[in-house]
Amino acid sequence: MKKVFIIWGCILSAMMLSQKMTFVYDLKFKPNPNKPDLTTETYYLDILEKESAFRCERERVSDSMIQRKGLGLGRSPVFNSQIYVVKNLETANVQKVIFMSLFNDKYFINIEENLNWKILSDKKKIEDFECQKATVEYGGRSWIAWFTQSIPIPEGPYIFNGLPGIIVNISDDQENYNFNLIKIKKLEKDNLFFSKKGTTISWEDFQKIQSDYYADPFAELKARNIKIQSGDEKGNLIPTDLNKMTKQLKKQIRENNNPIELNHKIDYE
């Protein structure tokens, strides 16, 4: 972890009182659980009064663009890479956010799985923070967290919350996912740039959406009679080989099938 926690106590206290903070996390994860290769991405936990949003840097920028211009950035065709959660800190409602890659249709899944934390006596110092160990079961994985009561905000990355202090580090016991706090700063805007428009679905609905997308990634384009063209080396437009692209996308989905909710994993063929 970088040496980024040299923050004056009075400034930190003021931010906590206003509940207007950003916690930046470094996520290292294995897209393929059978390979040692790790992918690293930056995630932001933005807290504004009674709400929070946890999303990657690209999603955060895209949300801001959508509110300002009506159009955002494209989404990944791999649903597993969408680690996006919004929380109502007053009601303790937690929702996973999912986007369809082609038309940015938004879905919400209510996270109803209880986090039954076990706080242990183990302690260690992580950078400038005195941290304590806690464990929890979630999504078919066993998680180990280190939290600090120096920042008494019961929040953390992704769905994780409810400890008596901010989570500084949390990883599953197989090291497939590892969230590490790298920076704390004041939230730049009085807005999370998050739209609450979308459709609430169940995990079963989500699994069907994933299976249907895998079966035919371009079904919506075909239904809307939208043609896909690409340019050759001379800049001429040529028809896209959808069969070839479909095979490539299916291969990408199969090889990156390590969802954070392992208990909702689909075994693609």
Side-chain angles (χ1 to χ4, degrees), residues 243-260:
N243 288 331
K244 181 179 179 181
M245 286 186 67
T246 296
K247 289 180 181 179
Q248 290 173 341
L249 278 173
K250 284 188 172 184
K251 183 173 184 289
Q252 182 183 359
I253 291 169
R254 287 195 305 273
E255 291 182 353
N256 294 275
N257 190 19
N258 189 22
I260 194 165

Side-chain angles (χ1 to χ4, degrees), residues 30-41:
K30 293 180 183 178
N32 187 329
N34 300 315
K35 294 182 179 180
D37 303 340
L38 289 170
T39 296
T40 302
E41 196 162 4

Side-chain angles (χ1 to χ4, degrees), residues 4-57:
V4 294
F5 297 120
I6 304 174
I7 301 173
W8 293 104
C10 58
I11 297 175
L12 184 55
S13 297
M15 287 193 294
M16 286 192 289
L17 286 172
S18 66
Q19 287 288 286
K20 185 181 176 183
M21 302 178 70
T22 294
F23 296 89
V24 185
Y25 287 86
D26 174 87
L27 168 62
K28 290 182 171 62
F29 67 98
K30 293 180 183 178
N32 187 329
N34 300 315
K35 294 182 179 180
D37 303 340
L38 289 170
T39 296
T40 302
E41 196 162 4
T42 301
Y43 277 78
Y44 290 77
L45 172 62
D46 294 315
I47 301 175
L48 181 60
E49 296 176 352
K50 300 298 182 182
E51 291 184 304
S52 74
F54 183 79
R55 58 209 155 174
C56 69
E57 191 168 25

Side-chain angles (χ1 to χ4, degrees), residues 28-38 136-145 169-179 258-260 262:
K28 290 182 171 62
F29 67 98
K30 293 180 183 178
N32 187 329
N34 300 315
K35 294 182 179 180
D37 303 340
L38 289 170
V136 73
E137 300 290 322
Y138 171 74
R141 298 182 189 272
S142 299
W143 296 86
I144 301 166
N169 176 270
I170 184 166
S171 62
D172 70 284
D173 62 355
Q174 300 299 309
E175 288 289 334
N176 281 280
Y177 287 86
N178 189 323
F179 298 92
N258 189 22
I260 194 165
L262 195 59

Side-chain angles (χ1 to χ4, degrees), residues 4 10-11 21 29 49 52 55 67 81 87 90-91 93 101 118 124 146 157 163 165 177 189 193 216 226 266 268:
V4 294
C10 58
I11 297 175
M21 302 178 70
F29 67 98
E49 296 176 352
S52 74
R55 58 209 155 174
Q67 282 214 0
S81 67
K87 304 186 188 102
E90 194 168 37
T91 64
N93 183 49
S101 60
K118 182 179 180 181
K124 71 176 179 179
W146 293 92
L163 287 168
Y177 287 86
K189 305 285 185 181
F193 297 108
D216 188 353
I226 298 174
I266 295 175
Y268 297 106

Side-chain angles (χ1 to χ4, degrees), residues 133-186:
K133 188 177 182 181
T135 60
V136 73
E137 300 290 322
Y138 171 74
R141 298 182 189 272
S142 299
W143 296 86
I144 301 166
W146 293 92
F147 67 95
T148 180
Q149 296 189 56
S150 300
I151 305 177
I153 296 176
E155 258 288 62
Y158 197 48
I159 60 93
F160 300 107
N161 69 100
L163 287 168
I166 196 75
I167 294 173
V168 175
N169 176 270
I170 184 166
S171 62
D172 70 284
D173 62 355
Q174 300 299 309
E175 288 289 334
N176 281 280
Y177 287 86
N178 189 323
F179 298 92
N180 199 43
L181 181 62
I182 59 171
K183 188 181 293 185
I184 303 169
K185 60 182 180 177
K186 184 177 180 181

